[in-house]
Coordinates of all heavy atoms in Angstrom, one line a residue:
G1 N -15.7 -4.0 -9.9 CA -15.5 -2.7 -10.4 C -14.0 -2.4 -10.4 O -13.1 -3.3 -10.6
E2 N -13.6 -1.1 -10.3 CA -12.2 -0.7 -10.4 C -11.4 -1.3 -9.3 O -10.2 -1.6 -9.5 CB -12.2 0.8 -10.4 CG -12.8 1.4 -11.6 CD -12.9 2.9 -11.5 OE1 -12.3 3.5 -10.6 OE2 -13.6 3.5 -12.4
Y3 N -11.9 -1.4 -8.1 CA -11.2 -2.0 -7.0 C -10.9 -3.5 -7.2 O -9.9 -3.9 -6.7 CB -11.9 -1.7 -5.7 CG -11.7 -0.3 -5.3 CD1 -12.8 0.6 -5.3 CD2 -10.5 0.2 -4.8 CE1 -12.7 1.9 -5.0 CE2 -10.4 1.6 -4.4 CZ -11.5 2.4 -4.5 OH -11.4 3.7 -4.1
D4 N -11.7 -4.2 -7.9 CA -11.5 -5.6 -8.2 C -10.3 -5.7 -9.1 O -9.4 -6.6 -8.9 CB -12.7 -6.2 -8.9 CG -13.9 -6.3 -7.9 OD1 -13.7 -6.3 -6.7 OD2 -15.0 -6.3 -8.4
V5 N -10.2 -4.8 -10.1 CA -9.1 -4.8 -11.0 C -7.8 -4.5 -10.3 O -6.7 -5.1 -10.4 CB -9.3 -3.8 -12.2 CG1 -8.0 -3.7 -13.0 CG2 -10.5 -4.3 -13.1
A6 N -7.9 -3.5 -9.4 CA -6.7 -3.1 -8.6 C -6.2 -4.2 -7.7 O -5.0 -4.5 -7.6 CB -7.0 -1.8 -7.8
T7 N -7.2 -4.9 -7.1 CA -6.9 -6.0 -6.2 C -6.1 -7.1 -7.0 O -5.1 -7.6 -6.5 CB -8.1 -6.6 -5.6 OG1 -8.7 -5.6 -4.8 CG2 -7.8 -7.8 -4.7
R8 N -6.6 -7.5 -8.2 CA -6.0 -8.5 -9.0 C -4.6 -8.1 -9.4 O -3.6 -8.8 -9.4 CB -6.8 -8.9 -10.2 CG -8.0 -9.7 -9.8 CD -8.7 -10.3 -11.0 NE -9.1 -9.4 -12.0 CZ -10.2 -8.7 -12.1 NH1 -11.1 -8.8 -11.2 NH2 -10.4 -7.9 -13.1
A9 N -4.4 -6.8 -9.8 CA -3.1 -6.3 -10.2 C -2.1 -6.3 -9.1 O -1.0 -6.7 -9.3 CB -3.3 -4.9 -10.8
I10 N -2.6 -5.9 -7.9 CA -1.7 -5.9 -6.7 C -1.3 -7.4 -6.4 O -0.1 -7.6 -6.1 CB -2.3 -5.3 -5.5 CG1 -2.5 -3.8 -5.8 CG2 -1.5 -5.5 -4.3 CD1 -3.5 -3.1 -4.9
Q11 N -2.2 -8.3 -6.4 CA -1.9 -9.7 -6.1 C -0.8 -10.2 -7.1 O 0.1 -10.8 -6.8 CB -3.1 -10.5 -6.2 CG -4.0 -10.3 -5.0 CD -5.4 -11.0 -5.2 OE1 -5.7 -11.5 -6.3 NE2 -6.1 -11.1 -4.1
Y12 N -1.0 -9.9 -8.4 CA -0.1 -10.3 -9.4 C 1.3 -9.7 -9.2 O 2.3 -10.4 -9.3 CB -0.6 -9.9 -10.8 CG 0.2 -10.3 -12.0 CD1 0.3 -11.6 -12.4 CD2 1.0 -9.3 -12.6 CE1 1.2 -12.0 -13.4 CE2 1.8 -9.7 -13.7 CZ 1.9 -11.0 -14.1 OH 2.8 -11.3 -15.1
F13 N 1.3 -8.4 -8.9 CA 2.6 -7.7 -8.6 C 3.3 -8.4 -7.5 O 4.5 -8.6 -7.6 CB 2.3 -6.2 -8.3 CG 3.5 -5.5 -7.9 CD1 4.4 -5.0 -8.9 CD2 3.9 -5.2 -6.6 CE1 5.5 -4.3 -8.6 CE2 5.0 -4.4 -6.3 CZ 5.8 -4.0 -7.3
F14 N 2.7 -8.6 -6.4 CA 3.3 -9.2 -5.2 C 3.7 -10.7 -5.3 O 4.6 -11.2 -4.6 CB 2.5 -9.0 -3.9 CG 2.6 -7.5 -3.4 CD1 1.4 -6.8 -3.3 CD2 3.7 -6.9 -3.1 CE1 1.4 -5.5 -2.9 CE2 3.8 -5.6 -2.7 CZ 2.6 -4.9 -2.5
E15 N 3.0 -11.4 -6.2 CA 3.4 -12.8 -6.5 C 4.8 -12.9 -7.1 O 5.5 -13.9 -6.9 CB 2.4 -13.4 -7.5 CG 1.1 -13.8 -6.9 CD 0.1 -14.3 -7.9 OE1 0.5 -14.5 -9.1 OE2 -1.0 -14.6 -7.5
G16 N 5.3 -11.9 -7.8 CA 6.6 -11.9 -8.4 C 7.7 -11.6 -7.4 O 8.8 -11.5 -7.9
D17 N 7.4 -11.4 -6.1 CA 8.5 -11.1 -5.1 C 9.3 -9.9 -5.6 O 10.5 -10.0 -5.8 CB 9.4 -12.3 -4.9 CG 10.2 -12.2 -3.6 OD1 9.8 -11.5 -2.7 OD2 11.3 -12.7 -3.6
P18 N 8.6 -8.8 -5.7 CA 9.3 -7.6 -6.2 C 10.3 -7.0 -5.3 O 10.2 -7.2 -4.0 CB 8.1 -6.6 -6.4 CG 7.1 -7.0 -5.4 CD 7.2 -8.5 -5.3
P19 N 11.3 -6.2 -5.8 CA 12.2 -5.5 -4.9 C 11.4 -4.4 -4.2 O 10.4 -3.9 -4.7 CB 13.2 -4.9 -5.9 CG 12.5 -4.9 -7.2 CD 11.5 -6.0 -7.2
E20 N 11.9 -4.1 -3.0 CA 11.2 -3.0 -2.2 C 11.7 -1.7 -2.7 O 12.5 -1.0 -2.0 CB 11.4 -3.3 -0.7 CG 10.7 -4.5 -0.3 CD 10.7 -4.8 1.2 OE1 11.3 -4.0 1.9 OE2 10.2 -5.8 1.6
N21 N 11.2 -1.2 -3.8 CA 11.5 0.1 -4.4 C 10.3 1.0 -4.4 O 9.3 0.7 -3.8 CB 12.2 -0.1 -5.8 CG 11.2 -0.9 -6.7 OD1 10.0 -0.9 -6.5 ND2 11.8 -1.5 -7.7
Q22 N 10.4 2.1 -5.2 CA 9.3 3.0 -5.3 C 8.0 2.3 -5.8 O 6.9 2.7 -5.4 CB 9.6 4.2 -6.1 CG 9.8 4.0 -7.6 CD 9.8 5.2 -8.4 OE1 8.9 6.1 -8.2 NE2 10.8 5.4 -9.2
F23 N 8.1 1.4 -6.7 CA 6.9 0.7 -7.2 C 6.3 -0.2 -6.2 O 5.1 -0.3 -6.1 CB 7.3 0.0 -8.5 CG 7.9 0.9 -9.5 CD1 9.2 0.8 -9.8 CD2 7.1 1.8 -10.2 CE1 9.8 1.7 -10.8 CE2 7.7 2.7 -11.1 CZ 9.0 2.6 -11.4
F24 N 7.1 -0.8 -5.4 CA 6.6 -1.6 -4.2 C 5.8 -0.7 -3.3 O 4.7 -1.0 -2.9 CB 7.8 -2.2 -3.5 CG 7.5 -3.0 -2.3 CD1 7.2 -4.4 -2.5 CD2 7.5 -2.5 -1.0 CE1 6.9 -5.2 -1.4 CE2 7.2 -3.3 0.0 CZ 6.9 -4.6 -0.1
C25 N 6.3 0.5 -3.0 CA 5.6 1.5 -2.2 C 4.3 1.9 -2.8 O 3.3 2.0 -2.1 CB 6.5 2.7 -1.9 SG 8.0 2.3 -0.9
R26 N 4.3 2.1 -4.1 CA 3.1 2.6 -4.8 C 2.1 1.4 -4.7 O 0.9 1.7 -4.6 CB 3.4 3.0 -6.2 CG 4.2 4.2 -6.3 CD 4.7 4.5 -7.7 NE 5.6 5.5 -7.8 CZ 5.4 6.7 -8.3 NH1 4.2 7.0 -8.7 NH2 6.3 7.6 -8.4
A27 N 2.5 0.2 -4.9 CA 1.6 -0.9 -4.8 C 1.0 -1.0 -3.4 O -0.2 -1.3 -3.2 CB 2.3 -2.2 -5.1
L28 N 1.8 -0.8 -2.4 CA 1.3 -0.7 -1.0 C 0.2 0.4 -0.8 O -0.8 0.2 -0.1 CB 2.4 -0.6 0.0 CG 3.4 -1.8 0.2 CD1 4.6 -1.4 1.0 CD2 2.7 -3.0 0.8
F29 N 0.5 1.5 -1.4 CA -0.5 2.6 -1.3 C -1.8 2.2 -2.0 O -2.9 2.5 -1.5 CB 0.0 3.9 -2.0 CG 1.1 4.6 -1.2 CD1 2.0 5.5 -1.8 CD2 1.2 4.5 0.2 CE1 2.9 6.2 -1.1 CE2 2.2 5.2 0.9 CZ 3.0 6.0 0.2
T30 N -1.7 1.5 -3.1 CA -2.9 1.0 -3.8 C -3.6 0.0 -3.0 O -4.9 0.1 -2.9 CB -2.5 0.4 -5.2 OG1 -1.8 1.4 -5.9 CG2 -3.7 0.0 -5.9
Q31 N -2.9 -0.9 -2.3 CA -3.5 -1.8 -1.4 C -4.2 -1.1 -0.3 O -5.3 -1.5 0.1 CB -2.5 -2.8 -0.9 CG -3.1 -3.9 -0.1 CD -3.9 -4.9 -0.9 OE1 -3.5 -5.3 -2.0 NE2 -5.1 -5.2 -0.4
A32 N -3.6 -0.1 0.2 CA -4.2 0.7 1.3 C -5.5 1.3 0.8 O -6.5 1.3 1.6 CB -3.3 1.8 1.8
L33 N -5.6 1.8 -0.4 CA -6.8 2.4 -0.9 C -7.9 1.4 -1.1 O -9.1 1.6 -0.8 CB -6.5 3.1 -2.3 CG -5.7 4.4 -2.2 CD1 -5.4 4.8 -3.6 CD2 -6.6 5.5 -1.5
V34 N -7.5 0.2 -1.5 CA -8.5 -0.9 -1.6 C -9.1 -1.2 -0.3 O -10.3 -1.4 -0.1 CB -7.9 -2.1 -2.3 CG1 -8.8 -3.3 -2.3 CG2 -7.6 -1.8 -3.8
E35 N -8.2 -1.4 0.7 CA -8.7 -1.7 2.1 C -9.5 -0.6 2.6 O -10.6 -0.9 3.3 CB -7.5 -2.0 3.0 CG -6.7 -3.2 2.7 CD -7.4 -4.5 2.9 OE1 -8.4 -4.5 3.7 OE2 -7.1 -5.5 2.3
A36 N -9.2 0.6 2.4 CA -10.0 1.7 2.9 C -11.4 1.8 2.3 O -12.4 2.1 3.0 CB -9.3 3.1 2.7
D37 N -11.4 1.4 1.0 CA -12.7 1.3 0.3 C -13.6 0.3 0.9 O -14.8 0.5 1.2 CB -12.5 1.1 -1.2 CG -13.9 1.0 -1.9 OD1 -14.6 2.0 -2.0 OD2 -14.2 -0.1 -2.3
H38 N -13.0 -0.9 1.2 CA -13.7 -2.0 1.9 C -14.2 -1.6 3.2 O -15.3 -1.8 3.7 CB -12.9 -3.2 2.0 CG -12.7 -3.9 0.6 ND1 -13.7 -4.3 -0.2 CD2 -11.5 -4.3 0.0 CE1 -13.2 -4.9 -1.3 NE2 -11.9 -4.9 -1.1
A39 N -13.3 -0.9 4.0 CA -13.6 -0.4 5.3 C -14.8 0.5 5.3 O -15.7 0.5 6.3 CB -12.4 0.3 6.0
A40 N -14.9 1.4 4.3 CA -16.0 2.3 4.2 C -17.4 1.7 4.1 O -18.4 2.3 4.4 CB -15.7 3.3 3.1
R41 N -17.4 0.5 3.6 CA -18.6 -0.3 3.4 C -19.0 -1.1 4.6 O -20.1 -1.7 4.5 CB -18.5 -1.2 2.1 CG -18.2 -0.4 0.9 CD -18.0 -1.3 -0.3 NE -17.3 -0.7 -1.3 CZ -17.2 -1.2 -2.5 NH1 -17.8 -2.3 -2.8 NH2 -16.5 -0.5 -3.4
L42 N -18.2 -1.2 5.6 CA -18.5 -2.0 6.7 C -18.8 -1.1 7.9 O -18.7 0.1 7.9 CB -17.2 -2.9 7.1 CG -16.7 -3.8 6.0 CD1 -15.4 -4.4 6.4 CD2 -17.8 -4.9 5.7
N43 N -19.2 -1.8 9.0 CA -19.5 -1.1 10.2 C -18.8 -1.8 11.4 O -18.4 -2.9 11.3 CB -21.0 -1.2 10.5 CG -21.9 -0.4 9.5 OD1 -21.6 0.7 9.2 ND2 -22.9 -1.1 9.0
G44 N -18.7 -1.0 12.5 CA -18.1 -1.5 13.7 C -16.7 -2.0 13.6 O -15.9 -1.5 12.9
I45 N -16.4 -3.1 14.3 CA -15.1 -3.6 14.4 C -14.5 -4.1 13.1 O -13.3 -4.0 12.9 CB -15.0 -4.8 15.5 CG1 -13.6 -5.1 15.8 CG2 -15.7 -6.0 15.0 CD1 -12.9 -4.0 16.6
D46 N -15.4 -4.6 12.2 CA -14.9 -5.0 10.9 C -14.3 -3.8 10.1 O -13.3 -3.9 9.5 CB -16.0 -5.6 10.1 CG -16.4 -7.0 10.7 OD1 -15.6 -7.6 11.3 OD2 -17.6 -7.3 10.5
S47 N -15.0 -2.6 10.2 CA -14.5 -1.4 9.6 C -13.2 -1.0 10.2 O -12.3 -0.6 9.5 CB -15.6 -0.3 9.7 OG -15.1 0.9 9.1
V48 N -13.1 -1.0 11.5 CA -11.9 -0.6 12.2 C -10.7 -1.5 11.8 O -9.6 -1.0 11.5 CB -12.1 -0.7 13.7 CG1 -10.8 -0.5 14.5 CG2 -13.1 0.4 14.2
R49 N -11.0 -2.8 11.7 CA -9.9 -3.7 11.3 C -9.4 -3.5 9.9 O -8.2 -3.5 9.6 CB -10.3 -5.2 11.5 CG -10.4 -5.6 13.0 CD -10.7 -7.0 13.1 NE -10.8 -7.4 14.5 CZ -11.7 -8.2 15.1 NH1 -12.6 -8.8 14.3 NH2 -11.6 -8.4 16.4
R50 N -10.3 -3.2 9.0 CA -9.9 -2.9 7.6 C -9.2 -1.6 7.6 O -8.2 -1.5 6.8 CB -11.1 -2.9 6.7 CG -11.7 -4.2 6.3 CD -10.9 -4.8 5.3 NE -11.5 -6.1 4.8 CZ -11.5 -6.5 3.6 NH1 -10.8 -5.9 2.7 NH2 -12.1 -7.7 3.3
S51 N -9.6 -0.6 8.3 CA -8.9 0.6 8.4 C -7.5 0.5 8.9 O -6.5 1.1 8.4 CB -9.7 1.7 9.2 OG -10.9 1.9 8.6
Q52 N -7.4 -0.3 10.0 CA -6.0 -0.6 10.5 C -5.1 -1.3 9.5 O -3.9 -1.0 9.4 CB -6.1 -1.4 11.8 CG -6.7 -0.7 13.0 CD -7.0 -1.5 14.2 OE1 -7.3 -2.7 14.0 NE2 -6.9 -1.0 15.4
R53 N -5.7 -2.2 8.8 CA -4.9 -2.8 7.7 C -4.4 -1.8 6.7 O -3.3 -1.9 6.2 CB -5.8 -3.9 7.1 CG -5.0 -5.0 6.4 CD -5.8 -6.1 5.8 NE -6.7 -6.7 6.8 CZ -7.7 -7.5 6.5 NH1 -8.0 -7.8 5.2 NH2 -8.5 -8.0 7.4
A54 N -5.3 -0.9 6.3 CA -5.0 0.1 5.3 C -3.8 1.0 5.9 O -2.8 1.3 5.1 CB -6.2 1.0 5.0
I55 N -3.9 1.3 7.1 CA -2.8 2.1 7.7 C -1.5 1.4 7.8 O -0.5 1.9 7.5 CB -3.3 2.6 9.1 CG1 -4.4 3.6 9.0 CG2 -2.1 3.2 9.9 CD1 -5.1 3.9 10.3
A56 N -1.6 0.1 8.0 CA -0.4 -0.8 8.1 C 0.3 -0.8 6.7 O 1.5 -0.7 6.7 CB -0.7 -2.2 8.5
Y57 N -0.4 -0.8 5.6 CA 0.2 -0.8 4.3 C 0.9 0.6 4.1 O 2.0 0.6 3.5 CB -0.9 -1.0 3.2 CG -1.4 -2.4 3.1 CD1 -2.7 -2.7 3.2 CD2 -0.5 -3.5 2.8 CE1 -3.1 -4.0 3.1 CE2 -0.9 -4.8 2.7 CZ -2.2 -5.0 2.9 OH -2.7 -6.3 2.8
V58 N 0.3 1.6 4.5 CA 0.9 3.0 4.3 C 2.2 3.0 5.2 O 3.2 3.5 4.7 CB 0.0 4.1 4.7 CG1 0.7 5.4 4.7 CG2 -1.2 4.1 3.7
M59 N 2.1 2.5 6.4 CA 3.3 2.5 7.3 C 4.4 1.7 6.7 O 5.6 2.1 6.8 CB 2.9 2.1 8.7 CG 1.9 3.0 9.4 SD 2.5 4.7 9.5 CE 3.8 4.5 10.6
R60 N 4.1 0.6 6.1 CA 5.1 -0.3 5.5 C 5.8 0.5 4.4 O 7.0 0.4 4.2 CB 4.5 -1.6 5.0 CG 5.4 -2.5 4.2 CD 5.8 -3.7 5.0 NE 6.8 -4.5 4.3 CZ 6.6 -5.4 3.5 NH1 5.4 -5.8 3.2 NH2 7.6 -6.1 2.9
A61 N 5.0 1.2 3.6 CA 5.7 2.0 2.5 C 6.6 3.1 3.0 O 7.6 3.3 2.5 CB 4.6 2.6 1.6
L62 N 6.1 3.7 4.1 CA 7.0 4.7 4.8 C 8.2 4.1 5.3 O 9.3 4.7 5.3 CB 6.2 5.4 5.8 CG 5.1 6.4 5.4 CD1 4.3 6.9 6.5 CD2 5.7 7.5 4.5
D63 N 8.2 2.9 5.9 CA 9.4 2.2 6.4 C 10.4 2.0 5.2 O 11.6 2.3 5.4 CB 9.0 0.9 7.0 CG 8.3 1.0 8.3 OD1 8.4 2.1 8.9 OD2 7.7 0.0 8.7
V64 N 9.9 1.6 4.1 CA 10.8 1.5 2.9 C 11.4 2.8 2.5 O 12.6 2.9 2.3 CB 10.1 0.8 1.7 CG1 10.9 0.8 0.5 CG2 9.6 -0.6 2.1
A65 N 10.6 3.8 2.5 CA 11.0 5.2 2.0 C 12.0 5.8 3.0 O 12.9 6.5 2.6 CB 9.8 6.1 1.8
E66 N 11.9 5.4 4.2 CA 12.8 6.0 5.3 C 14.1 5.3 5.5 O 14.9 5.7 6.3 CB 12.0 6.1 6.6 CG 11.0 7.2 6.5 CD 11.5 8.6 6.4 OE1 12.5 8.9 7.2 OE2 11.1 9.3 5.5
R67 N 14.3 4.2 4.8 CA 15.6 3.5 4.9 C 16.7 4.4 4.5 O 16.6 5.2 3.6 CB 15.6 2.2 4.0 CG 14.7 1.2 4.5 CD 14.7 0.0 3.6 NE 13.7 -1.0 4.0 CZ 13.3 -2.0 3.2 NH1 13.7 -2.1 1.9 NH2 12.4 -2.8 3.6
A68 N 17.9 4.1 5.2 CA 19.0 5.0 4.9 C 19.4 5.1 3.4 O 19.7 6.1 2.9 CB 20.2 4.5 5.7
E69 N 19.3 3.9 2.7 CA 19.7 3.9 1.3 C 18.7 4.7 0.4 O 19.0 5.0 -0.7 CB 19.9 2.5 0.8 CG 18.7 1.7 0.8 CD 18.4 0.8 2.0 OE1 19.0 1.1 3.1 OE2 17.7 -0.1 1.9
N70 N 17.5 4.9 1.0 CA 16.5 5.6 0.2 C 16.3 7.1 0.6 O 15.5 7.8 -0.1 CB 15.2 4.9 0.3 CG 15.2 3.5 -0.3 OD1 16.0 3.3 -1.2 ND2 14.5 2.6 0.2
K71 N 16.9 7.5 1.6 CA 16.7 8.9 2.1 C 17.0 9.9 1.0 O 18.0 9.7 0.3 CB 17.7 9.2 3.3 CG 17.2 8.6 4.6 CD 16.2 9.5 5.2 CE 16.0 9.1 6.6 NZ 15.0 9.9 7.3
G72 N 16.2 10.8 0.9 CA 16.4 11.8 -0.2 C 15.7 11.4 -1.5 O 15.0 12.2 -2.1
R73 N 16.0 10.2 -1.9 CA 15.5 9.7 -3.2 C 14.0 9.4 -3.2 O 13.3 9.6 -4.1 CB 16.2 8.4 -3.6 CG 17.6 8.5 -4.0 CD 18.3 7.3 -4.5 NE 17.6 6.1 -3.9 CZ 17.5 4.9 -4.5 NH1 18.0 4.8 -5.7 NH2 17.0 3.9 -3.9
Y74 N 13.5 9.0 -2.0 CA 12.1 8.6 -1.8 C 11.3 9.6 -1.0 O 10.3 9.3 -0.5 CB 12.0 7.2 -1.2 CG 12.3 6.1 -2.2 CD1 12.9 6.3 -3.4 CD2 12.1 4.8 -1.9 CE1 13.2 5.3 -4.3 CE2 12.3 3.7 -2.7 CZ 12.9 4.0 -3.9 OH 13.2 3.0 -4.8
D75 N 11.8 10.8 -0.9 CA 11.0 11.8 -0.2 C 9.6 12.0 -0.7 O 8.6 12.3 0.0 CB 11.7 13.2 -0.2 CG 12.9 13.2 0.7 OD1 13.1 12.3 1.6 OD2 13.7 14.2 0.6
F76 N 9.4 11.8 -2.0 CA 8.1 11.9 -2.6 C 7.2 10.9 -2.1 O 5.9 11.1 -2.1 CB 8.2 11.9 -4.2 CG 8.6 10.6 -4.7 CD1 7.6 9.7 -5.1 CD2 9.9 10.2 -4.8 CE1 8.0 8.4 -5.7 CE2 10.3 9.0 -5.4 CZ 9.3 8.1 -5.8
I77 N 7.7 9.7 -1.7 CA 6.8 8.7 -1.2 C 6.2 9.1 0.1 O 5.0 8.9 0.4 CB 7.6 7.4 -1.0 CG1 8.1 6.8 -2.3 CG2 6.8 6.3 -0.2 CD1 7.0 6.2 -3.2
V78 N 7.1 9.8 1.0 CA 6.6 10.3 2.2 C 5.5 11.4 2.0 O 4.5 11.4 2.6 CB 7.8 10.9 3.1 CG1 7.2 11.5 4.3 CG2 8.8 9.8 3.4
Y79 N 5.8 12.2 1.0 CA 4.8 13.3 0.6 C 3.5 12.6 0.2 O 2.4 13.1 0.5 CB 5.4 14.2 -0.5 CG 4.4 15.2 -1.0 CD1 4.2 16.4 -0.3 CD2 3.7 15.0 -2.2 CE1 3.3 17.3 -0.7 CE2 2.8 16.0 -2.6 CZ 2.6 17.1 -1.9 OH 1.7 18.0 -2.3
N80 N 3.6 11.6 -0.7 CA 2.4 10.9 -1.2 C 1.6 10.3 -0.1 O 0.4 10.2 -0.2 CB 2.7 9.9 -2.2 CG 3.2 10.5 -3.5 OD1 3.9 9.8 -4.3 ND2 2.9 11.7 -3.8
A81 N 2.2 9.9 1.0 CA 1.5 9.2 2.1 C 0.8 10.2 3.0 O -0.1 9.8 3.7 CB 2.5 8.4 2.9
S82 N 1.2 11.5 2.9 CA 0.5 12.4 3.8 C -0.8 12.9 3.3 O -1.3 12.6 2.3 CB 1.4 13.6 3.9 OG 1.6 14.3 2.7

């Protein structure tokens, strides 16, 4: 379905070794959504692990947004993560 297309697009995006800019952050958010969708279909520890992976993608995007050189310019990324 739609998540399969998103997964392939994200894989393609990251294969190109992209710069860590706003589009990188958006791709991480998309990856987090895909992981969260997978987590929702699982139970127990597998669901927890997938959820943790989704959170890790969001946290990575926040790390990029909070860098000194991105302060102010990427405030919308922090907003989008909330």
Side-chain angles (χ1 to χ4, degrees):
E2 295 172 10
Y3 286 105
D4 295 333
V5 172
T7 299
R8 287 193 306 272
I10 292 165
Q11 288 171 348
Y12 180 74
F13 177 80
F14 286 120
E15 283 176 3
D17 193 30
E20 293 187 358
N21 57 21
Q22 68 167 308
F23 302 108
F24 181 85
C25 294
R26 291 170 191 253
L28 289 171
F29 287 157
T30 304
Q31 185 67 48
L33 288 171
V34 170
E35 291 295 335
D37 179 68
H38 288 308
R41 298 177 201 195
L42 300 171
N43 294 311
I45 193 69
D46 293 329
S47 178
V48 171
R49 286 185 180 141
R50 284 282 185 147
S51 295
Q52 288 174 329
R53 200 177 308 165
I55 292 167
Y57 285 121
V58 173
M59 296 303 293
R60 175 109 187 268
L62 289 172
D63 287 342
V64 172
E66 288 294 311
R67 290 181 185 157
E69 67 268 19
N70 295 331
K71 281 281 192 178
R73 293 184 330 148
Y74 283 13
D75 286 347
F76 70 95
I77 295 290
V78 176
Y79 177 80
N80 291 157
S82 64

